[in-house]
Amino acid sequence: MVIASILVGCKSSFPVAQQSGKEDMAYLVFVGPRQTYGNGSKPVQVDVDGKQFDAKVVKPKTANRKGIQYGVATGRRNVTVKFNGQTIYQKQLFLSSQETKIITLP
């Protein structure tokens, strides 16, 4: 009984770790048919409010496990996706903090 009270007393004196807020980021994952995008080997060109990058496309069944998430700023964003010079997706999205938006491509 004395040992238990000593251990409880010691534990309360340890410093408590503080949690910090999450980053103010949202994430995009691109999914589409393997026949068209080759399971990521044929990247698409993405434009988010004038910032451009290449993105890998995964098949829908593996999006949650193996999909690469691309971090973007939160808020209202204009997203355009091109493949072989053709615009295949264009939409204005509202992205919340820590939200993962799955974009399904044709």
Side-chain angles (χ1 to χ4, degrees):
M1 179 100 142
V2 174
I3 295 174
S5 63
I6 291 173
L7 292 176
V8 171
C10 291
K11 185 172 183 175
S12 65
S13 65
F14 287 118
V16 177
Q18 294 181 349
Q19 293 182 349
S20 60
K22 295 181 179 180
E23 288 185 45
D24 193 22
M25 294 285 291
Y27 301 94
L28 301 176
V29 176
F30 301 93
V31 298
R34 180 186 288 183
Q35 302 87 336
T36 306
Y37 305 103
N39 204 24
S41 62
K42 300 176 185 175
V44 293
Q45 294 73 44
V46 180
D47 183 311
V48 178
D49 292 335
K51 296 179 183 173
Q52 300 174 350
F53 59 92
D54 288 345
K56 290 186 177 184
V57 179
V58 297
K59 63 183 181 176
K61 290 182 181 179
T62 60
N64 293 334
R65 292 182 322 214
K66 297 181 183 177
I68 297 173
Q69 297 182 352
Y70 298 91
V72 296
T74 58
R76 193 172 307 278
R77 300 284 165 239
N78 292 311
V79 179
T80 303
V81 180
K82 293 184 178 184
F83 183 67
N84 290 336
Q86 301 277 332
T87 300
I88 57 173
Y89 181 91
Q90 186 171 11
K91 202 170 197 180
Q92 188 177 62
L93 303 174
F94 184 81
L95 303 169
S96 301
S97 182
Q98 296 297 309
E99 176 185 8
T100 300
K101 177 73 174 171
I102 296 177
I103 297 178
T104 304
L105 303 174

